Amino acid sequence: MDAHATPYETTVRDIGTYEDKMVTLKGWLYNKRSSGKIMFLILRDGTGIVQCVVSKGEVGEGLFSRLDKLSQESSLIVQGLVRKDPRAPGGYELAVTECEIVSEAFDDYPISLKEHGAEFLLDHRHLWIRTPRQRNVLLIRSEIIKACRDFLHNEGFVNVDAPIMTPAACEGTTTLFPVEYFGEQAYLSQSGQLYNEAAIMSLGKVYCFGPTFRAEKSKTRRHLTEFWMVEPEAAFMGFEEMLRLEERMVCYIVEHILNNCEHLLREIGRDVERLKEITPPFPRLTYTEAVDLLRRKGMDISWGDDFGAPHEAAIASEYTKPVFVAHFPTQIKAFYMQPDPDNPDTVLGADLLAPEGYGEIIGGGERIHDYTLLLERIKQHNLPMEDYEWYLDLRRYGSVPHSGFGMGIERVVAWICGLEHVRETIPFPRMINRLRP
Ligand code: 4AD
Ligand code: MG
């Protein structure tokens, strides 16, 4: 062991592979304790947190006293010897030999280690994301997104992204965000579905994955005005086959997170045992059965009403797994939904409700493939015909039965991480009362 050999550049995550070796770590000061001749710098570098032990004898009086005055979030490059220490959080600590202060943080860092209110934290979201809990959530979000893509590619889906600026609505005209487009009225996309339906006629199975926008007036813990949605769509895929695809995808994501992020979930206090129960098949209810169930539970709802959050929570509370609610009344669903041949007042559409009260995470169904019926629905919904001519073309030229769904990433992150509110599931949330930072 030679304490003065050229150090290895590494990260906190990999520090264990350099036991008794000299390494360099680059990061930020998260916390600090000092006891006269010894100081403990808690360094975070994005991959983890490590305790760095600084002794006056090793680094000298001058550097020791500069470090002693250093404020939280100062950026540092530290060099030192990796030592095994069973008491340290990651099992290792760094005995510092040298330290370069890259930038000394102003000493009024707003996010101290004590509790702060939600609005204060959201105002400082650009700094809040540095805290271990928020970092864990963002890491899990990244892994959930990776799992979605891996799953779909494994199943033969091709990524074909949809435009964000669009001339027309997909999910009803009441939640559109207007954009002035060179003198013309455009909107931010509510869903890439209609474009997916064009792309499947070229590629068979596709998905789009991007930001989607809803001018939702609802101020709830599940609604964002900008959220990310993964939307698979496949030609010749029937309703039943689509439900099985949803089930496989959700199970794949949960399994991937349990295999790769269980420690991150435990650190943020998630009861991972609940996630281990997420295996196929998922229970299914028809909308009509769900309404009967809610009425038996004493809730005020009639056939034809849409579900609110309390209804969804009451249905989901009957199960430990996600539950499908299928065959909704035609009148409460989007214009493109295929009627159920056995009951034309309802559609071949289903929502997937997450357990533990997290509500709808997926909406999907079979699409109308008949030209005449689709034309009729566009008229019934008072949609501007000229903007849907291209969509009708898909029914004019080689139309086929097809289905697809959309899964909201933030709702899935909230459920998997066990978070109260979707505002913590996205790096910079956009909500009815929040556009900044
Ligand atoms: O049920 P939705 O509105 O379905 C569609 O947009 C379809 N066109 C998708 C498709 O079939 N390709 O939205 C799908 C999902 C919801 O289940 C929910 O997870 C999420 O998107 N979502 C929201 N997430 C956060 N904030 C909002 N305001 C959301 N609205 C929908
Ligand atoms: Mg929906």
Side-chain angles (χ1 to χ4, degrees):
M1 164 178 83
D2 175 2
H4 299 284
T6 311
Y8 297 96
E9 280 225 12
T10 187
T11 58
V12 175
R13 184 205 293 126
D14 297 331
I15 198 169
T17 52
Y18 296 96
E19 192 180 338
D20 293 331
K21 300 219 166 65
M22 288 294 292
V23 300
T24 302
L25 296 174
K26 299 175 178 175
W28 296 264
L29 183 63
Y30 179 59
N31 202 358
K32 187 175 57 160
R33 284 180 292 124
S34 178
S35 65
K37 291 189 165 58
I38 297 272
M39 186 168 31
F40 300 96
L41 303 178
I42 312 300
L43 185 85
R44 55 168 197 85
D45 77 341
T47 72
I49 288 192
V50 71
Q51 171 168 292
C52 306
V53 187
V54 189
S55 76
K56 203 179 277 185
E58 181 69 39
V59 301
E61 191 93 38
L63 181 58
F64 192 88
S65 68
R66 279 187 72 201
L67 291 175
D68 206 20
K69 291 194 209 79
L70 209 56
S71 44
Q72 187 187 350
E73 292 305 315
S74 293
S75 42
L76 302 172
I77 299 176
V78 286
Q79 252 174 53
L81 189 69
V82 179
R83 288 195 304 227
K84 196 170 193 144
D85 180 359
R87 292 161 307 172
Y92 295 90
E93 63 173 24
L94 194 76
V96 177
T97 54
E98 274 180 54
C99 181
E100 181 193 332
I101 299 167
V102 179
S103 173
E104 212 165 307
F106 293 20
D107 61 12
D108 57 351
Y109 187 64
I111 308 211
S112 63
L113 301 174
K114 65 171 206 282
E115 293 261 318
H116 295 284
E119 287 306 310
F120 178 88
L121 289 170
L122 285 165
D123 286 340
H124 295 88
R125 183 67 177 163
H126 52 295
L127 303 175
W128 186 25
I129 53 175
R130 299 183 188 191
T131 57
R133 180 183 169 83
Q134 298 305 312
R135 164 197 175 265
N136 281 12
V137 172
L138 294 181
L139 255 170
I140 295 166
R141 175 190 171 97
S142 166
E143 285 300 319
I144 287 172
I145 291 170
K146 179 182 187 303
C148 292
R149 291 192 183 270
D150 289 349
F151 172 81
L152 290 168
H153 285 265
N154 291 343
E155 294 255 346
F157 283 76
V158 179
N159 181 202
V160 177
D161 284 320
I164 301 298
M165 290 191 283
T166 61
C170 178
E171 294 299 317
T173 49
T174 57
T175 62
L176 286 169
F177 264 115
V179 178
E180 208 267 343
Y181 195 80
F182 304 114
E184 212 187 313
Q185 183 69 81
Y187 305 97
L188 296 177
S189 176
Q190 298 171 310
S191 159
Q193 178 196 320
L194 306 187
Y195 296 95
N196 272 347
E197 289 182 63
I200 56 168
M201 307 301 177
S202 165
L203 291 148
K205 299 204 264 187
V206 308
Y207 74 95
C208 63
F209 200 151
T212 45
F213 305 85
R214 307 276 167 99
E216 299 263 13
K217 293 280 158 26
S218 31
K219 203 176 152 185
T220 78
R221 52 196 192 87
R222 303 188 302 150
H223 286 91
L224 295 164
T225 52
E226 176 178 299
F227 62 98
W228 286 69
M229 182 151 58
V230 57
E231 300 184 77
E233 188 82 25
F236 301 103
M237 178 166 70
F239 183 59
E240 179 61 31
E241 205 186 325
M242 184 202 71
L243 297 179
R244 290 204 304 271
L245 180 72
E246 289 184 25
E247 207 168 72
R248 282 201 302 286
M249 182 158 124
V250 169
C251 292
Y252 182 94
I253 294 166
V254 171
E255 201 184 322
H256 177 82
I257 296 303
L258 286 173
N259 287 340
N260 294 280
C261 306
E262 188 169 334
H263 60 294
L264 299 175
L265 289 171
R266 288 188 189 280
E267 279 170 23
I268 62 174
R270 179 63 162 119
D271 177 3
V272 294
E273 298 311 314
R274 299 294 308 263
L275 296 175
K276 291 181 179 164
E277 294 170 38
I278 310 306
T279 51
F282 295 165
R284 292 184 194 179
L285 285 178
T286 64
Y287 168 86
T288 305
E289 287 165 344
V291 169
D292 289 344
L293 169 74
L294 292 172
R295 294 175 72 104
R296 281 201 305 280
K297 290 182 150 227
M299 295 184 90
D300 180 24
I301 188 159
S302 327
W303 199 94
D305 293 346
D306 206 352
F307 295 144
H311 302 116
E312 289 182 355
I315 297 164
S317 71
E318 299 287 306
Y319 308 93
T320 56
K321 296 182 189 189
V323 52
F324 286 111
V325 181
H327 306 280
F328 282 89
T330 313
Q331 69 209 63
I332 57 169
K333 286 290 177 188
F335 74 97
Y336 51 71
M337 294 252 184
Q338 174 74 12
D340 178 357
D342 298 329
N343 182 1
D345 290 339
T346 65
V347 290
L348 295 179
D351 285 356
L352 184 67
L353 310 183
E356 302 173 70
Y358 287 93
E360 179 196 332
I361 51 171
I362 295 183
E366 195 168 319
R367 324 303 190 186
I368 293 174
H369 58 271
D370 179 72
Y371 173 81
T372 313
L373 179 58
L374 186 61
L375 185 66
E376 198 179 294
R377 286 290 150 83
I378 291 172
K379 286 181 182 155
Q380 272 169 9
H381 285 252
N382 286 319
L383 296 170
M385 193 57 74
E386 63 279 14
D387 288 329
Y388 293 84
E389 274 303 333
W390 70 268
Y391 188 62
L392 282 162
D393 267 355
L394 308 177
R395 279 71 182 170
R396 288 188 183 104
Y397 307 113
S399 188
V400 298
H402 62 285
S403 305
F405 63 88
M407 187 178 86
I409 292 301
E410 291 74 19
R411 300 248 181 110
V412 172
V413 176
W415 163 48
I416 290 184
C417 292
L419 304 176
E420 265 296 302
H421 199 296
V422 287
R423 66 189 169 210
E424 283 183 62
T425 64
I426 184 162
F428 295 95
R430 297 290 173 252
M431 293 173 286
I432 184 165
N433 57 353
R434 183 161 294 277
L435 177 64
R436 298 182 173 83

